[in-house]
Amino acid sequence: MKKKINVQFMALCAAAIVITALVSTALFYNVLEDQVFADLKAYAHIIRQTDPEKLTIGKDEMRITWVDRDGSVLYESQADGAAMENHSGRPEIKQAKQFGMAVNVRWSATLSTHTFYYAERLENGSVLRIAKQSGSISRVMVNTGLIILAISLATFLLCAFLAHYLTKRMAEPIERMAENLLLLDKSEVYEEIRPFVITIKEQHKNILRHAKMRQEFTANVSHELKTPLTAISGYAELMENGMAKEEDIRHFAKQIHANSSRLIMLINDIIKLSELDDEEFKIPFETFDLFLLAENTVDMMELPAKKQEVKLILSGEHVMLYAGKNLIDELLYNLVSNAIRYNVKGGTVWIRIRNADAQPMLEVEDTGIGIPGEHRERVFERFYRVDKSRSKSTGGTGLGLAIVKHIVVQHQAELTLESSEGAGTKIIVKFPFQAPKL
């Protein structure tokens, strides 16, 4: 990673240096060109004060040409003017005659080199032209280019060193994170990366917590499955080997049936939890009457309630709910089943359905044994039981309220638990706002 970042830094620096060098060279050339034309203009101003016919300037980098109105050369400082061709077609001569002044850079056939030209129309209509070969300009540009190249190289080397240093500094806290994320203190990283570190640490803690929960869940599942399987296997072995008396066979068969039923319930609950844990699990939502669904649950639980000598009372109003119907049916079953299982003889379970400001609400209240304060925060954990002996004797798997909590979360609903030891329990589920249909 460091090598890749370092190379990208250096490539960025190189690109910036090249662009800066090219732009600087172009700007310098434009400034130099403007200066050359300004100098030629100044020379022309001095020379025009002198009679061109009396000019006796020898060969030099500056060339003076005097052109008559008809284009014939009256004077040329670096050639025989009389032998030269007509100059009326030269671009700078034509522009000077038209506009009074002209500048141009072009190839000179006379000097066989690129030349800077400044031409100015005189009062009598003739044109005075001053020229300077680009050779001296080129030498200046070459020298300047060498200086820019040297500075660019030195700058690149400095940038390469800084890129290596900054890459090392930037990667250092990340490398420490990789070595031991949990022990990395927020003060050990620079401010820009601190939110990133905090987020990663929280995610890492969550992953560890979920891994621990899954490990505990696997261990609990193994233990819970082992108990009924051991009982079934033991009773079946006694019957197979003829060790069971005739009067015991009915009892053994009853125990095998009870443990098989508990095993089936346990497997069904584990499958349901696995489905709810799956992030890709899609809940088909539909609109249904929550009160009618609760009526079906009460009808189904009537027989278990009679066996426990518990009375079921459904009250409230018809409330339309947009949710996963099968999951809400599972939620109702688990809440009512728990309220019956942990109730007392002659007790009551109230199921109330109502609408509070377009928010459907479900309440399940019982007159049962209640939940001590130290257990209330944990009753929704998987396989957590307040009274283990009572739960197993009544057929509980320890997963009912865990399934309830998952369903509530899936529907973005609110779950409230009100309970005290010996005074019953009330669980309230408040669903999200349901827009009334027009």
Side-chain angles (χ1 to χ4, degrees):
M1 182 187 73
K2 287 195 295 185
K3 183 179 179 181
K4 186 176 181 180
I5 295 174
N6 201 19
V7 169
Q8 289 177 343
F9 268 138
M10 292 175 66
L12 183 62
C13 291
I17 290 170
V18 170
I19 292 172
T20 303
L22 292 175
V23 172
S24 300
T25 302
L27 290 174
F28 179 75
Y29 178 80
N30 288 335
V31 171
L32 187 60
E33 186 182 65
D34 292 341
Q35 184 61 48
V36 169
F37 285 131
D39 291 343
L40 293 178
K41 183 177 180 181
Y43 292 150
H45 180 72
I46 295 172
I47 292 171
R48 69 182 296 180
Q49 306 301 321
T50 305
D51 186 352
E53 294 181 349
K54 298 179 181 179
L55 290 172
T56 56
I57 300 176
K59 288 186 177 182
D60 193 68
E61 288 186 351
M62 188 173 66
R63 173 188 170 198
I64 302 171
T65 307
W66 182 25
V67 180
D68 202 357
R69 296 176 63 179
D70 61 359
S72 59
V73 178
L74 298 175
Y75 174 79
E76 169 61 53
S77 64
Q78 295 188 10
D80 183 5
M84 297 180 70
E85 64 182 5
N86 191 285
H87 274 41
S88 59
R90 300 294 193 270
E92 65 277 1
I93 301 297
K94 291 172 64 176
Q95 293 176 13
K97 285 181 179 181
Q98 184 178 358
F99 301 108
M101 184 273 292
V103 294
N104 193 19
V105 181
R106 64 177 177 80
W107 180 264
S108 173
T110 303
L111 302 178
S112 299
T113 182
H114 278 91
T115 307
F116 292 84
Y117 291 101
Y118 174 82
E120 187 175 306
R121 187 181 63 205
L122 302 180
E123 293 179 358
N124 60 3
S126 62
V127 175
L128 178 63
R129 186 182 70 177
I130 311 297
K132 187 176 181 65
Q133 296 179 31
S134 64
S136 59
I137 307 298
S138 299
R139 286 195 296 272
V140 173
M141 290 300 298
V142 169
N143 293 334
T144 304
L146 291 174
I147 294 173
I148 291 176
L149 181 62
I151 294 173
S152 299
L153 182 60
T155 305
F156 178 75
L157 293 175
L158 177 62
C159 289
F161 171 76
L162 291 175
H164 178 74
Y165 173 74
L166 291 175
T167 301
K168 185 178 179 181
R169 281 286 306 275
M170 185 173 66
E172 187 177 353
I174 299 176
E175 290 175 345
R176 288 204 302 270
M177 285 169 56
E179 292 173 1
N180 199 330
L181 180 65
L182 294 179
L183 294 180
L184 183 66
D185 188 72
K186 289 187 292 184
S187 62
E188 295 179 4
V189 297
Y190 39 89
E191 186 176 354
E192 290 78 6
I193 202 175
R194 197 168 295 160
F196 173 75
V197 173
I198 294 172
T199 302
I200 292 295
K201 287 181 71 173
E202 289 300 321
Q203 290 179 347
H204 186 66
K205 288 179 181 177
N206 288 336
I207 290 171
L208 292 177
R209 185 169 63 249
H210 284 298
K212 184 178 179 181
M213 288 174 61
R214 287 183 180 276
Q215 187 178 11
E216 292 177 351
F217 179 67
T218 302
N220 287 331
V221 167
S222 300
H223 176 74
E224 294 292 335
L225 291 174
K226 185 178 179 180
T227 303
L229 284 172
T230 301
I232 292 171
S233 176
Y235 288 126
E237 185 178 3
L238 290 173
M239 293 171 67
E240 180 186 22
N241 295 329
M243 298 176 65
K245 297 178 182 179
E246 189 69 30
E247 60 269 20
D248 292 333
I249 291 178
R250 185 177 181 86
H251 170 71
F252 289 173
K254 182 180 179 182
Q255 291 299 318
I256 290 173
H257 180 264
N259 280 281
S260 298
S261 299
R262 183 166 179 268
L263 193 59
I264 292 170
M265 289 175 59
L266 187 61
I267 291 172
N268 287 336
D269 284 349
I270 292 171
I271 292 172
K272 179 61 67 178
L273 274 175
S274 297
E275 289 177 349
L276 293 172
D277 279 338
D278 187 358
E279 294 181 357
E280 296 182 0
F281 177 65
K282 302 296 182 184
I283 306 173
F285 273 43
E286 58 183 295
T287 301
F288 56 91
D289 191 325
L290 182 58
F291 189 87
L292 292 180
L293 192 66
E295 274 188 340
N296 292 335
T297 302
V298 170
D299 291 341
M300 182 173 60
M301 299 302 296
E302 197 68 51
L303 184 58
K306 285 182 178 179
K307 288 183 178 180
Q308 293 289 108
E309 298 180 19
V310 172
K311 185 178 181 181
L312 299 179
I313 300 176
L314 174 64
S315 63
E317 57 185 310
H318 291 272
V319 175
M320 301 307 295
L321 177 65
Y322 182 69
K325 187 175 182 180
N326 290 337
L327 291 183
I328 300 303
D329 187 41
E330 183 81 19
L331 180 143
L332 277 163
Y333 171 80
N334 282 312
L335 289 179
V336 175
S337 177
N338 263 28
I340 295 171
R341 183 177 295 115
Y342 297 101
N343 217 315
V344 295
K345 298 292 184 180
T348 305
V349 175
W350 291 276
I351 302 100
R352 305 184 184 95
I353 308 294
R354 60 191 178 93
N355 207 335
D357 299 325
Q359 283 191 269
M361 292 184 65
L362 162 66
E363 294 181 8
V364 177
E365 184 178 3
D366 62 63
T367 56
I369 61 175
I371 303 171
E374 66 271 18
H375 295 283
R376 287 178 204 149
E377 295 295 324
R378 302 193 59 190
V379 291
F380 293 101
E381 295 179 10
R382 301 173 184 188
F383 295 113
Y384 188 84
R385 298 182 179 91
V386 177
D387 188 342
K388 295 184 180 181
S389 60
R390 182 184 181 96
S391 176
K392 290 188 177 182
S393 65
T394 55
T397 64
L399 294 174
L401 289 182
I403 293 173
V404 167
K405 182 66 178 289
H406 268 69
I407 294 173
V408 168
V409 171
Q410 290 277 6
H411 287 80
Q412 298 179 351
E414 297 177 16
L415 181 65
T416 305
L417 172 67
E418 299 175 3
S419 182
S420 56
E421 189 172 5
T425 301
K426 179 195 287 188
I427 293 180
I428 305 170
V429 180
K430 189 175 184 180
F431 293 94
F433 174 80
Q434 308 278 314
K437 291 187 178 181
L438 299 176

